């Protein structure tokens, strides 16, 4: 959590100004404040909790209290959004705590002395020793640690817990950080290959092919909450997984809401629900599924779903090994397509009991694997649609 340094002071002052505006004061945000109107909601919640007490405090103390309240409120909102989106983090690490608990000081002391040097009053780390294009500032001339300094502290604490691997997810515009982060891992005596960095491209939100206008209340961005509110968590997760992390994604909100086979998540979920319907029809007809049906009753033209099914373990293994979850949804789309083609070409509940049992066994396997793939992607597998 980036809760340390100047940006937190800006957050506190911006919230303080919004609080004063809510009280009817004629005060402007200023150029260095955060313009997003989401802070109005934060200031409103702050006023509800603390009433007039805040206005009686000296300004410095009031800004500090606004900073603490806003940090808690925004983190709570992030955690709520993540829960709705189906993402859970075991730990949130406070950047400020890394400094308050002297983790940064211990990390700095643990670095080999020959990798640190002072220049123009600032402390530098010789990341060029490990292949970086230039050395990086760890402590500014004013004595404030840089964000890279916080990275060093975070890696020091994480590496001391002896994890086998580290995964760092960065925006593609932070590709320049990769070399310096590997330098940190190597400087602490670990194999830099243990660090795997995923660079994630930005998402272009569209509506019917047209760019989505930014949300006024959020500032110059659209929040995940707005996307989930509009299309649902299932569609949001599935669409975000439709591209490799380092490939740009065009996310069409209208397509994500369509109840048609043009919508990829609907297409896969519908395959699962369609099989559930077939199995209900079989049960209503009094057909008891045989524990060991004779699969030789499947004709030559009925093997396509089987060819897709047998690759599922390899797909899962590759997705985990290469940190590429998009392989799972690609596979689900392939399997759903194979099933839909099969369903349109073959009558599953036929007058031939042996063929019916074999086909029911086949589609039940398809349903089971589709459900497993959707569960891995964190998407529901509905029984009815």
């Amino acid at each position: 959590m980036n809760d340390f340094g100047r940006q937190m002071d800006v957050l506190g002052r911006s919230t303080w100004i919004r609080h004063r505006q809510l009280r009817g004061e004629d005060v402007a945000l200023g150029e260095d404040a955060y313009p997003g109107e989401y802070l109005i909601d934060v200031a409103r919640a702050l006023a509800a909790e603390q009433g007039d007490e805040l206005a009686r405090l000296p300004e410095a103390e009031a800004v500090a209290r606004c900073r603490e309240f806003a940090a808690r409120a925004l983190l709570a909102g992030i955690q709520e959004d993540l829960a709705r989106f189906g993402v859970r983090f075991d730990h949130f690490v406070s950047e400020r705590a890394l400094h308050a608990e002297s983790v940064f000081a211990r990390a700095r002391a643990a670095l080999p002395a020959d990798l640190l040097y002072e220049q123009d009053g600032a402390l530098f780390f010789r990341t060029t020793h490990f292949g970086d294009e230039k050395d990086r500032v760890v402590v500014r001339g004013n004595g404030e640690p840089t964000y890279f300094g916080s990275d060093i502290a975070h890696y020091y604490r994480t590496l001391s817990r002896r994890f086998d691997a580290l995964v760092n997810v960065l925006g593609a515009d932070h590709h320049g950080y990769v070399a310096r982060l590997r330098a940190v891992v190597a400087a602490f005596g670990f194999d830099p290959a243990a660090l795997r960095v995923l660079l994630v491209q930005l998402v272009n939100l569209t509506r019917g092919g047209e760019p989505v206008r930014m949300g006024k209340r959020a500032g110059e961005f659209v929040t995940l909450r707005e996307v989930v509110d509009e299309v649902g968590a299932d569609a949001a997760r599935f669409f975000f997984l439709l591209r490799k992390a380092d490939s740009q994604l065009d996310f069409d909100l209208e397509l994500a809401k369509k109840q048609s086979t043009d919508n990829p998540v609907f297409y896969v979920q519908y395959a699962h629900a369609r099989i559930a319907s077939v199995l209900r029809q079989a049960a209503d007809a009094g057909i008891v599924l045989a524990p060991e049906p004779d699969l030789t009753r499947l004709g030559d033209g009925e093997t396509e779903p089987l060819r897709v099914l047998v690759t599922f373990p390899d797909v899962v293994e590759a997705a985990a090994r290469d940190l590429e979850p998009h392989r799972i949804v690609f596979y689900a789309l392939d399997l759903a397509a194979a099933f839909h083609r099969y369903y349109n070409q073959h009558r599953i509940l036929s007058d031939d009991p042996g063929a019916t049992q074999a086909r029911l066994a086949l589609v039940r396997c398809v349903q089971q694997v589709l459900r497993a793939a959707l569960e891995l992607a964190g998407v529901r597998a509905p029984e009815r649609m």
Side-chain angles (χ1 to χ4, degrees):
M1 302 181 297
N2 307 145
D3 57 354
F4 178 79
R6 180 182 175 278
Q7 76 267 20
M8 292 303 295
D9 295 331
V10 174
L11 176 65
R13 187 160 296 281
S14 301
T15 305
W16 169 235
I17 293 172
R18 289 299 194 187
H19 175 76
R20 293 170 62 190
Q21 289 175 341
L22 289 175
R23 292 177 58 84
E25 295 185 41
D26 184 15
V27 55
L29 277 174
E31 292 185 1
D32 63 341
Y34 292 137
E37 293 189 15
Y38 62 92
L39 285 182
I40 295 176
D41 295 333
V42 173
R44 189 173 287 117
L46 174 66
E49 178 183 285
Q50 305 196 15
D52 295 332
E53 178 185 355
L54 202 62
R56 294 193 290 268
L57 296 175
E59 182 168 330
E61 186 176 344
V63 169
R65 189 174 293 190
C66 287
R67 181 183 62 218
E68 300 306 311
F69 183 91
R72 291 196 306 272
L74 294 176
L75 177 59
I78 289 169
Q79 292 172 322
E80 179 184 339
D81 290 347
L82 287 171
R84 290 183 59 203
F85 191 51
V87 171
R88 179 179 62 84
F89 287 97
D90 294 328
H91 300 284
F92 285 81
V93 177
S94 163
E95 184 183 1
R96 187 171 64 171
L98 291 174
H99 296 282
E101 296 169 8
S102 301
V103 179
F104 172 71
R106 295 199 302 274
R108 176 178 167 179
L111 287 172
D114 61 336
L115 293 179
L116 299 174
Y117 66 92
E118 291 190 9
Q119 181 177 307
D120 299 328
L123 182 68
F124 283 76
F125 177 12
R126 296 185 196 275
T127 53
T128 52
H129 182 74
F130 302 96
D132 197 6
E133 61 183 3
K134 64 179 181 180
D135 294 338
R136 307 293 176 174
V137 178
V138 176
V139 180
R140 299 182 183 90
N142 62 4
E144 284 284 317
T146 62
Y147 188 77
F148 180 50
S150 298
D151 281 333
I152 293 172
H154 183 49
Y155 273 59
Y156 171 76
R157 193 172 75 167
T158 303
L159 290 166
S160 68
R161 297 170 67 190
R162 300 289 174 177
F163 287 106
D164 297 319
L166 304 173
V167 180
N168 204 327
V169 183
L170 300 175
D173 56 332
H174 285 70
H175 62 88
Y177 277 73
V178 178
R180 72 188 75 171
L181 294 179
R182 292 198 192 284
V184 172
V185 175
F188 284 130
F190 292 84
D191 182 358
L195 172 63
R196 302 173 70 180
V197 179
L198 299 182
L199 296 175
V200 181
Q201 289 286 349
L202 292 174
V203 175
N204 294 323
L205 282 181
T206 63
R207 192 185 302 282
E210 296 296 322
V212 173
R213 296 185 62 181
M214 300 296 104
K216 177 185 176 185
R217 295 192 62 75
E220 295 304 312
F221 54 85
V222 175
T223 64
L224 176 64
R225 178 178 297 186
E226 291 174 279
V227 174
V228 173
D229 283 346
E230 180 161 348
V231 306
D234 284 343
R237 288 182 65 96
F238 200 95
F239 268 67
F240 280 127
L241 290 172
L242 281 174
R243 292 288 183 276
K244 289 183 63 175
D246 59 1
S247 298
Q248 187 167 297
L249 171 64
D250 292 324
F251 190 130
D252 193 313
L253 295 170
E254 289 302 317
L255 178 60
K257 292 188 295 183
K258 272 190 176 181
Q259 298 291 302
S260 78
T261 54
D262 293 334
N263 179 352
V265 65
F266 180 90
Y267 187 71
V268 174
Q269 289 180 319
Y270 182 52
H272 184 275
R274 204 174 204 181
I275 297 171
S277 176
V278 170
L279 295 176
R280 286 194 299 270
Q281 291 174 35
D284 292 343
I287 300 173
V288 178
L289 300 181
E292 296 184 9
D294 181 7
L295 297 182
T296 64
R297 298 300 307 275
L298 295 173
D300 293 339
E302 300 185 58
T303 58
E304 183 191 6
L306 287 171
R307 287 197 297 270
V308 181
L309 282 171
V310 296
T311 64
F312 184 55
D314 293 334
V315 170
V316 174
E317 183 179 2
R321 181 191 64 233
D322 300 332
L323 304 179
E324 293 185 341
H326 70 278
R327 295 186 185 213
I328 301 296
V329 297
F330 283 7
Y331 173 86
L333 283 166
D334 288 343
L335 183 57
F339 165 74
H340 286 306
R341 285 192 294 270
Y342 181 84
Y343 182 88
N344 292 331
Q345 294 168 7
H346 302 279
R347 186 180 174 192
I348 296 173
L349 303 181
S350 69
D351 296 331
D352 183 336
T356 295
Q357 287 288 344
R359 290 170 181 172
L360 283 173
L362 173 60
V363 300
R364 187 169 54 173
C365 287
V366 171
Q367 185 195 40
Q368 178 179 330
V369 174
L370 276 177
R371 182 166 57 247
L374 288 170
E375 286 177 353
L376 285 173
V379 177
R380 291 179 307 112
E383 297 286 320
R384 301 174 187 270
M385 291 182 71

